Amino acid sequence: MPRLQELPDSLAKPLTLNPPSSPTLQTTQPPNLLPSSLTQQTTPQTTPFPLPPETNGATSTTPSLPPQMSSIKTRSVDEVLELMNRTPLFMTSLDETDGAGGENVELEALRALQYEGSKVEVAQGFRERGNEMARAGKWGDGKEFYGKGIMVLGQKMEEDTKEEDAEKRRQIEEACYINRALCNLELSTQALLVLQLCSTLIGRIENYRSCTLDCAATLRLNPGNIKAYYRSAQALLALDKVGEAEDACAHGLAIEPSNTALKALQTKISARKDVLDGIERKRRERAERAKKERLYLQAAFKARGIRTRSTGQPPEMEDAAIRLTPDPVSPKSTLTFPVVLLYPLHLQSDFIKAFSETDTLSSHLDYILPLPWDERKEYSMDSVEGYMETLSGGLIKVGKKVSLLKMLSSGKVEIVDDIVRISVVPKASAEGWIEEVKKRKRAAP
């Protein structure tokens, strides 16, 4: 059994076997002397995308997802791709909004980095980027960077307090202008290749014009820039402005007479000038020939007593026209006319491209009849009659064996819009058709 040990009498301090619980110490917090806006701490956003307002996937039987997974799992593939496209690193197309009509802060921040530093430093940066694009053959991008460099040098920036190096600015601006001219020239050349497949003439002309304007700006900064004369002459030659191209070459060679590139270009300009002169000469000859043909045609009408009239809205006849054949400028030639044979009772027609003045109606009906749509066999050489409208609005019978010239020179008919119209109707129906025409004429205002 356990033994009890007797305590010595010298122990005066009482032994308390069940000590009372010590009172709880009350600690007081020091007063907060900072403003509440600094003491409020917010949890940093560490999710790839903002958390949606709805639940993060937790149910009564499954735990909630971590925020990083929840920001993706709760969205569709299209939504994730849309959010990624607003992040500059993953952009496949430029999206300048935050998806809610606000500003894309990250994109604007990256843009702002382009303009850090003095005007000379920023413009030099754009120039170097343009040089990189030009060396890679990305002429459109290079043109944009050079344009930004020019724009920066033309701005008045308040933060520029130190004195700019004027000569350095001029050199950068000159380089940006002349290199942008090169980009415009190359873009025009590319457009010319595409022109063989589709119509891009307008874009090509605009690029060449931009090239000449950039060269002019370069020459204002440095009148001795040979590249500006050379590229300007190239663009002007492409626009067939050979006179101005010759002038640009001449100015360049006056500064540097031994420049082989300018000499070769001058040879091309001279060759193109000869070609254009030949084209212009032929155009003038064609215009003079056409004028002479019209004069002979009018003389032929007058000599034959043929009347003509124009309504201002001629029908489309392709290359069909009244002509003197075989020689349009010979008074001995024969007139030929486009003629329409109308079948008014059946709303059909036939077109004769060259009806000679010596031909008769029967000579053409002979190969036209029978008509494929004439199921009742009403149209035959012996059973049809021809009619033309008179100057007074009436009708005159056209003899089938009478020449066209005799009808046209009778003074009772006229040619309207350079085309002769003859109505062909069956004899059995001619009287009724004529009465119907007269009735329409009387009813017309």
Side-chain angles (χ1 to χ4, degrees):
M1 70 182 289
R3 296 177 59 187
L4 296 175
Q5 183 178 0
E6 186 177 357
L7 295 175
D9 294 337
S10 61
L11 185 60
K13 185 178 179 181
L15 180 63
T16 304
L17 296 178
N18 294 311
S21 59
S22 59
T24 305
L25 295 175
Q26 299 292 331
T27 60
T28 60
Q29 295 290 340
N32 188 0
L33 300 179
L34 295 175
S36 59
S37 60
L38 297 180
T39 58
Q40 294 176 354
Q41 296 181 355
T42 58
T43 304
Q45 178 67 45
T46 59
T47 58
F49 306 113
L51 287 169
E54 62 269 10
T55 179
N56 62 359
T59 65
S60 59
T61 59
T62 61
S64 61
L65 294 171
Q68 291 82 354
M69 294 182 65
S70 178
S71 66
I72 296 178
K73 288 289 187 179
T74 54
R75 287 183 167 85
S76 66
V77 175
D78 292 338
E79 290 174 336
V80 172
L81 291 176
E82 183 180 356
L83 289 169
M84 290 180 67
N85 196 54
R86 295 194 190 102
T87 304
L89 181 61
F90 301 106
M91 277 185 173
T92 57
S93 61
L94 186 61
D95 188 345
E96 299 187 359
T97 70
D98 61 354
E103 189 177 57
N104 192 327
V105 178
E106 295 181 3
L107 183 61
E108 294 303 320
L110 286 176
R111 283 176 170 171
L113 291 176
Q114 298 180 103
Y115 297 93
E116 286 192 348
S118 67
K119 286 194 291 187
V120 170
E121 292 171 345
V122 173
Q124 178 64 21
F126 283 128
R127 174 191 174 185
E128 292 173 357
R129 291 296 307 277
N131 291 344
E132 293 174 7
M133 296 297 104
R135 281 192 288 268
K138 298 179 180 180
W139 306 110
D141 294 336
K143 174 183 175 181
E144 182 178 354
F145 281 118
Y146 292 132
K148 287 183 177 180
I150 294 169
M151 179 187 67
V152 168
L153 290 175
Q155 290 178 344
K156 292 184 178 180
M157 302 172 69
E158 295 180 359
E159 58 270 22
D160 285 341
T161 56
K162 63 180 182 179
E163 187 69 24
E164 295 286 349
D165 186 349
E167 179 61 23
K168 183 66 174 177
R169 283 187 56 185
R170 190 198 63 77
Q171 291 176 359
I172 295 173
E173 189 173 9
E174 177 185 350
C176 286
Y177 271 120
I178 194 61
N179 289 339
R180 191 172 71 171
L182 174 63
C183 292
N184 279 313
L185 194 62
E186 292 296 334
L187 288 171
S188 302
T189 304
Q190 292 177 0
L192 181 60
L193 297 176
V194 177
L195 182 62
Q196 299 174 359
L197 303 176
C198 61
S199 180
T200 56
L201 182 59
I202 295 176
R204 180 170 68 99
I205 290 175
E206 289 303 320
N207 283 326
Y208 281 131
R209 286 176 178 169
S210 298
C211 177
T212 59
L213 292 175
D214 285 342
C215 289
T218 302
L219 292 172
R220 282 195 295 270
L221 295 169
N222 180 12
N225 193 306
I226 297 297
K227 290 182 180 179
Y229 288 115
Y230 178 72
R231 290 169 187 171
S232 179
Q234 281 184 304
L236 291 168
L237 174 60
L239 294 171
D240 277 339
K241 296 183 177 182
V242 291
E244 297 177 40
E246 279 183 324
D247 186 64
C249 261
H251 278 82
L253 289 172
I255 297 171
E256 193 175 316
S258 61
N259 190 291
T260 55
L262 278 173
K263 287 182 177 180
L265 183 58
Q266 190 178 47
T267 303
K268 290 182 180 180
I269 293 171
S270 298
R272 182 59 180 169
K273 183 180 180 181
D274 293 339
V275 171
L276 293 178
D277 288 344
I279 293 173
E280 178 61 21
R281 184 172 58 255
K282 290 181 179 179
R283 187 197 65 79
R284 287 196 303 267
E285 291 174 355
R286 287 194 301 269
E288 292 174 1
R289 173 83 177 184
K291 182 180 179 180
K292 192 174 182 180
E293 289 178 4
R294 287 195 299 271
L295 291 175
Y296 270 87
L297 192 60
Q298 294 299 323
F301 289 158
K302 187 175 182 179
R304 291 165 173 79
I306 298 175
R307 297 189 179 190
T308 61
R309 178 169 60 89
S310 175
T311 64
Q313 296 179 337
E316 178 61 42
M317 296 189 297
E318 296 182 355
D319 61 338
I322 302 175
R323 290 188 175 90
L324 281 168
T325 58
D327 186 359
V329 292
S330 173
K332 296 181 180 180
S333 294
T334 302
L335 281 171
T336 59
F337 303 85
V339 175
V340 173
L341 298 182
L342 302 170
Y343 309 101
L345 296 180
H346 293 82
L347 302 178
Q348 298 286 344
S349 65
D350 283 312
F351 180 69
I352 302 170
K353 188 175 181 179
F355 196 123
S356 175
E357 62 181 340
T358 59
D359 291 346
T360 61
L361 179 60
S362 61
S363 65
H364 290 279
L365 289 177
D366 189 50
Y367 65 82
I368 293 175
L369 300 176
L371 300 169
W373 44 265
D374 182 21
E375 298 179 355
R376 298 172 61 180
K377 308 300 180 183
E378 297 180 88
Y379 293 83
S380 66
M381 185 67 72
D382 297 328
S383 64
V384 296
E385 293 178 343
Y387 294 88
M388 289 181 68
E389 187 175 349
T390 64
L391 292 170
S392 60
L395 294 171
I396 186 172
K397 189 175 181 179
V398 179
K400 287 182 285 187
K401 293 186 178 180
V402 176
S403 69
L404 182 61
L405 176 59
K406 188 173 182 180
M407 289 300 304
L408 295 176
S409 60
S410 65
K412 297 179 180 180
V413 298
E414 64 180 351
I415 301 174
V416 181
D417 290 332
D418 292 342
I419 188 167
V420 178
R421 295 168 176 84
I422 300 174
S423 298
V424 179
V425 295
K427 289 181 180 180
S429 306
E431 187 175 351
W433 173 72
I434 292 172
E435 289 299 323
E436 182 66 25
V437 171
K438 290 180 179 179
K439 188 184 296 184
R440 288 200 301 269
K441 290 289 184 181
R442 288 192 297 267

